[in-house]
Amino acid sequence: MSRDGPAWPYPRWIAHRGAGRLAPENTLAAFALGHAYGYRMFECDVRLSADGQAFLLHDDRLERTTSGCGESLDFDWNTLSVLDAGAWHSARHAGERLPSLAAVVDFCRRQGCALNVELKPAPGDERRTGRVVAQQLARSWTWAPPPLLSSFAVAALEAAAGAAPDLPRALLLARFEGNWRATAQRLGCVAVVGERSAWTAAHAERARHAGLRLLAYTVNTDEDAQRLLALGLDGLITDRVDHFTPDALPA
């Protein structure tokens, strides 16, 4: 099987968690800064609160990037929404809040940006997260290109496929092992997103032969970027929004 078909509708360069490390990750401040550097596609981590609100946060626990303490899944959105999600990064970002997925969708709508939503469920919350996030995006995202849903959690991708089958999906891989191609195809994925050092020419060829697009995380050096572009990757997720010059959304 080849991957002949519609052109890939996303930019090659994708800003990791909004603006990489230059602003507090997964906040609207990070999205605004990434946009100021010219990025028009963003990656972010989305999970659910105890009462089912989709919001941005990478870790299962709150301590690293917020003023809260404990497992995020133990709290409702009213509690999570008032936490300080910026002071850990720098004083100038003190008071920045955790954004809801709805707020991020609104930002992308206003700025004409694309989005890669990593489904980042708390342990045991995989299916609810995939279903709720996919349903919300299917309702609220009304322009092209559609958001790309990715995850390491197979159950979350399965639930997303059942809830919103038309939204494109990608399988995240730290290593290319086991039956990764079969898993991606079973999930109806359009792409695989591999850890930057895991990509080899052989893996790239296998992915292409399976009809999959090729993306990598997290690409922060010129050497990695050059090697991966030479392999023909379609997307590079980076923290270095101040270093790599992004491309525009395809026409």
Side-chain angles (χ1 to χ4, degrees):
M1 175 180 176
S2 70
R3 62 174 186 174
D4 294 340
W8 187 239
Y10 304 102
R12 176 165 285 150
W13 285 100
I14 303 163
H16 189 223
R17 303 181 191 174
R21 300 166 184 156
L22 298 183
E25 63 184 55
N26 286 314
T27 64
L28 290 177
F31 274 71
L33 185 58
H35 187 269
Y37 275 103
Y39 280 74
R40 296 299 179 264
M41 184 169 182
F42 301 92
E43 182 269 356
C44 62
D45 304 289
V46 176
R47 60 179 59 237
L48 298 183
S49 63
D51 54 343
Q53 173 70 51
F55 71 101
L56 274 61
L57 183 71
H58 178 273
D59 300 0
D60 294 329
R61 296 187 63 86
L62 296 166
E63 287 87 346
R64 182 175 68 85
T65 59
T66 81
S67 58
C69 181
E71 300 284 338
S72 64
L73 188 57
D74 291 341
F75 299 94
D76 62 21
W77 176 239
N78 283 339
T79 302
L80 294 169
S81 66
V82 297
L83 296 177
D84 189 324
W88 69 273
H89 181 275
S90 56
R92 65 187 294 262
H93 288 296
E96 188 70 24
R97 303 303 185 200
L98 293 170
S100 66
L101 177 59
V104 170
V105 169
D106 183 63
F107 174 91
C108 291
R109 178 187 295 111
R110 288 185 285 106
Q111 302 298 342
C113 294
L115 191 63
N116 169 203
V117 171
E118 180 180 346
L119 301 170
K120 201 77 172 181
D125 204 30
E126 292 83 5
R127 292 193 175 277
R128 185 180 71 132
T129 301
R131 173 177 52 80
V132 170
V133 172
Q135 287 175 338
Q136 180 175 335
L137 288 170
R139 290 193 304 267
S140 62
W141 197 284
T142 58
W143 66 99
L148 177 65
L149 301 180
S150 63
S151 192
F152 293 101
V154 169
L157 288 173
E158 288 174 339
D166 291 337
L167 289 182
R169 294 172 297 282
L171 179 64
L172 270 159
L173 298 167
R175 293 175 298 277
F176 291 89
E177 58 186 15
N179 296 321
W180 60 271
R181 284 193 305 171
T183 299
Q185 291 175 312
R186 177 176 64 80
L187 293 168
C189 291
V190 300
V192 287
V193 187
E195 195 275 331
R196 57 178 177 75
S197 63
W199 277 110
T200 65
H203 294 324
E205 179 57 31
R206 292 188 186 108
R208 278 191 288 265
H209 186 70
L212 297 164
R213 294 289 181 161
L214 289 57
L215 289 82
Y217 73 94
T218 305
V219 183
N220 291 334
T221 68
D222 292 330
E223 293 77 12
D224 280 333
Q226 291 163 8
R227 184 181 74 84
L228 294 165
L229 291 174
L231 291 179
L233 265 71
D234 299 286
L236 304 180
I237 300 169
T238 185
D239 292 316
R240 300 287 306 281
V241 300
D242 56 338
H243 179 70
F244 295 112
T245 301
D247 46 355
L249 278 165

